[in-house]
């Protein structure tokens, strides 16, 4: 894997794949609630620009829907507000192209002078970006490659995706890894190579099926696994409890039973919350009550772990020497349901050892609590990517860069 110092970039067009997938205010006001990923992407963009490259940044935002570019562009989300914030943070103009491989992109790239920076519209507006069909992806990658002489991969949050701008494009150009990717990989290596014990993994968040798959592998790595967030309800269902209207994946209940059995067999402590903060609906102002984890009312949903579980989780983190945390414990965006996530964040700041927080929303959560980034060993920009790295999977975006 080369790094950007290995590339001669002056006067050349450098395609940079960044991860600028930032969260927006849930009310739809268009306000970026945490620009951490943009900030994390600045060093490479700035360094290339300072060295006289013509920097063409590509990124995705959200999960656009629609059959073709036109439908997806219509439905959004557009990267335009991200281009504005990127420009503010860089302190230099950022030209914005309203497409990825169309006339706007061609004109924008052609208009760049040495040191200029451009951002192309959401790569996922092109359905081929995420296609499972190798040929479809290669065709798109070749179209993008027209706009660059060199490629820099810096989007750690997407390296686990076999996608055109992440996997197929670097194969077509001389390439290097950006500093964000090399930094992430060096920290994650420390989590897999002889970590200090006890090693505690905390999992939460909303992508239940994504994350259920990784738990089994984590059982081989960690001494203790604490589970909260949306995935906990499928575990509670596996224990035979009613979960009301909580997030639930009925077709994964059997998997959860298998995980519970495997943990017991391997001597890994799997810790579930004992109480839950529930509400009748998913809303910031919904009335919150605390119930036992085995007594969630039929017309209520679990939106956070309860006070006894906060203490339980903190106690399970107190003696840890290595912690990896991915996924909020509850809907922290609503203050009434943020206490569980806050408790885990606070507990991590007290750990005597290496603490790694992975995931866009988890990182946004710790920042929303006003905790400084340096209260943690490392805040990773990639949740899924860091989980898959820990599982020992080969990550297409790293392979493509020769890792
Ligand atoms: P990360 O980005 O850190 O990997 P995820 O994207 O998996 O985390 O999940 C983050 C989201 O999970 C947050 O927006 C949060 O509101 C949501 N979430 C957490 N707990 C619950 C719950 N009990 N019900 C619904 N959503 C939840
Ligand atoms: Mg997320």
């Amino acid at each position: 894997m080369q790094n950007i110092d290995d590339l001669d970039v002056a006067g050349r067009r450098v395609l940079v794949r960044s991860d600028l997938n930032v969260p927006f205010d849930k009310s739809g006001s268009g306000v970026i609630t945490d620009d951490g990923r943009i900030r994390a992407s600045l060093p490479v963009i700035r360094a290339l620009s300072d060295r006289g490259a013509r920097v063409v940044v590509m990124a995705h935002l959200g999960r656009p829907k629609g059959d073709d570019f036109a439908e997806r562009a219509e439905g959004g989300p557009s990267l335009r507000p991200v281009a504005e914030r990127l420009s503010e943070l860089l302190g230099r103009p950022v030209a914005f192209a309203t497409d990825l491989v169309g006339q706007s992109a061609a004109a924008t790239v052609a208009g760049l002078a040495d040191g200029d920076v451009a951002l192309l519209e959401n790569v996922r507006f092109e359905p081929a970006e995420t296609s499972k069909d190798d040929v479809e992806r290669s065709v798109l990658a070749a179209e993008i490659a027209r706009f660059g002489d060199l490629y820099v991969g810096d989007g750690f949050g997407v390296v686990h995706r076999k996608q055109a701008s992440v996997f197929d494009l670097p194969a077509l150009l001389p390439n290097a890894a950006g500093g964000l990717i090399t930094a992430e990989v060096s920290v994650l290596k420390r989590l897999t190579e002889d970590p200090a014990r006890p090693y505690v993994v905390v999992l939460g968040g909303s992508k239940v099926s994504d994350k259920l798959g990784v738990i089994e592998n984590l059982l081989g790595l960690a001494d203790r696994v604490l589970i909260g967030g949306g995935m906990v309800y499928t575990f509670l269902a596996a224990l035979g409890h009613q979960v009301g209207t909580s997030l639930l994946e009925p077709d994964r209940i059997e998997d959860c039973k298998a995980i519970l059995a495997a943990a017991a067999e391997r001597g890994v402590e799997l810790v579930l919350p004992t109480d839950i903060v529930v509400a009748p609906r998913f809303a910031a102002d919904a009335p919150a009550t605390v119930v036992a984890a085995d007594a969630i009312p039929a017309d209520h949903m679990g939106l956070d772990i309860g006070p006894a579980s906060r203490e339980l989780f903190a106690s399970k983190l107190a003696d840890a020497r290595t912690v990896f945390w991915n996924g909020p414990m509850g809907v922290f965006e609503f203050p009434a349901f943020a206490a569980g996530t806050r408790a885990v964040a606070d507990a991590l700041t007290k750990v005597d050892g290496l603490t790694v927080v992975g995931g866009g929303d988890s990182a946004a959560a710790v920042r929303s609590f006003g905790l400084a980034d340096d209260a943690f060993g490392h805040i990773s920009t990639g949740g899924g990517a860091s989980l898959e790295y820990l599982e020992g999977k080969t990550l297409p975006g790293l392979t493509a860069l020769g890792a």
Side-chain angles (χ1 to χ4, degrees):
M1 191 157 77
Q2 301 195 95
N3 66 48
I4 61 168
D5 297 332
D6 301 322
L7 298 178
D8 184 10
V9 301
R12 325 241 346 240
R13 299 167 305 162
V14 183
L15 288 164
V16 181
R17 177 56 160 107
S18 299
D19 177 10
L20 305 177
N21 190 28
V22 289
F24 283 81
D25 185 314
K26 279 202 188 315
S27 73
S29 64
V31 173
I32 296 170
T33 51
D34 178 61
D35 60 10
R37 279 180 166 159
I38 304 177
R39 290 176 188 274
S41 303
L42 293 175
V44 162
I45 297 171
R46 187 174 281 135
L48 291 168
S49 161
D50 285 348
R51 287 166 56 192
R54 303 174 181 206
V55 187
V56 182
V57 183
M58 298 163 293
H60 73 281
L61 192 59
R63 297 190 173 186
K65 294 194 173 57
D67 292 338
D68 56 20
F69 178 88
E71 270 184 33
R72 292 181 175 209
E74 174 81 23
S78 169
L79 274 171
R80 190 183 286 277
V82 173
E84 283 165 20
R85 178 63 64 89
L86 176 61
S87 170
E88 280 166 30
L89 293 170
L90 266 179
R92 48 193 91 167
V94 173
F96 182 69
T98 56
D99 54 31
L100 179 69
V101 288
Q103 283 176 2
S104 176
T108 302
V109 174
L112 294 178
D114 294 357
D116 284 354
V117 178
L119 176 65
L120 306 182
E121 182 57 288
N122 196 343
V123 291
R124 291 194 187 161
F125 283 178
E126 290 290 347
E129 165 70 6
T130 54
S131 172
K132 297 275 172 258
D133 183 309
D134 292 347
V135 175
E136 277 179 27
R137 284 198 323 276
S138 314
V139 169
L140 176 62
E143 287 188 72
I144 305 174
R146 292 177 298 148
F147 301 142
D149 305 305
L150 303 166
Y151 175 94
V152 171
D154 201 41
F156 180 73
V158 285
V159 290
H160 59 315
R161 305 288 188 201
K162 194 173 180 181
Q163 297 177 345
S165 66
V166 177
F167 177 73
D168 304 273
L169 179 57
L172 304 176
L173 297 168
N175 59 65
L180 184 58
I181 283 191
T182 51
E184 294 268 14
V185 168
S186 77
V187 173
L188 291 172
K189 260 206 176 107
R190 290 172 60 197
L191 291 181
T192 49
E193 291 171 2
D194 198 22
R197 299 188 178 275
Y199 181 178
V200 184
V201 171
V202 189
L203 287 179
S206 62
K207 294 175 199 155
V208 184
S209 35
D210 282 13
K211 294 182 186 178
L212 279 179
V214 311
I215 299 178
E216 200 158 350
N217 290 289
L218 290 173
L219 295 180
L221 213 60
D223 302 302
R224 225 175 260 156
V225 179
L226 319 185
I227 296 177
M231 79 174 73
V232 96
Y233 304 98
T234 306
F235 277 93
L236 293 176
L239 292 173
H241 305 325
Q242 300 300 318
V243 297
T245 54
S246 309
L247 266 189
L248 173 69
E249 294 207 26
D251 56 344
R252 302 305 295 269
I253 291 175
E254 288 307 313
D255 293 338
C256 287
K257 286 184 183 165
I259 290 165
L260 290 164
E265 194 176 309
R266 302 172 80 154
V268 176
E269 198 182 348
L270 205 146
V271 183
L272 298 175
T274 54
D275 59 349
I276 301 288
V277 182
V278 298
R281 59 202 154 80
F282 188 91
D285 62 353
T289 43
V290 176
V291 299
D294 60 1
I296 298 176
D299 56 354
H300 277 59
M301 58 178 72
L303 295 177
D304 195 11
I305 62 172
S309 308
R310 299 202 290 265
E311 281 191 28
L312 173 68
F313 281 27
S315 75
K316 296 291 180 189
L317 286 161
D319 65 341
R321 290 292 173 270
T322 306
V323 182
F324 175 77
W325 172 29
N326 169 253
M329 295 294 100
V331 184
F332 73 93
E333 295 91 337
F334 301 152
F337 308 103
T341 305
R342 166 99 220 197
V344 166
D346 283 337
L348 252 69
T349 66
K350 297 184 188 127
V351 164
D352 176 14
L354 175 63
T355 55
V356 178
V357 182
D361 292 293
S362 308
V366 305
R367 295 200 189 99
S368 77
F369 300 141
L371 297 168
D373 283 17
D374 61 10
F376 303 90
H378 178 70
I379 299 185
S380 172
T381 51
S386 44
L387 283 170
E388 291 198 14
Y389 185 96
L390 294 185
E391 281 182 71
K393 287 195 181 158
T394 44
L395 306 184
L398 295 181
T399 312
L401 299 174

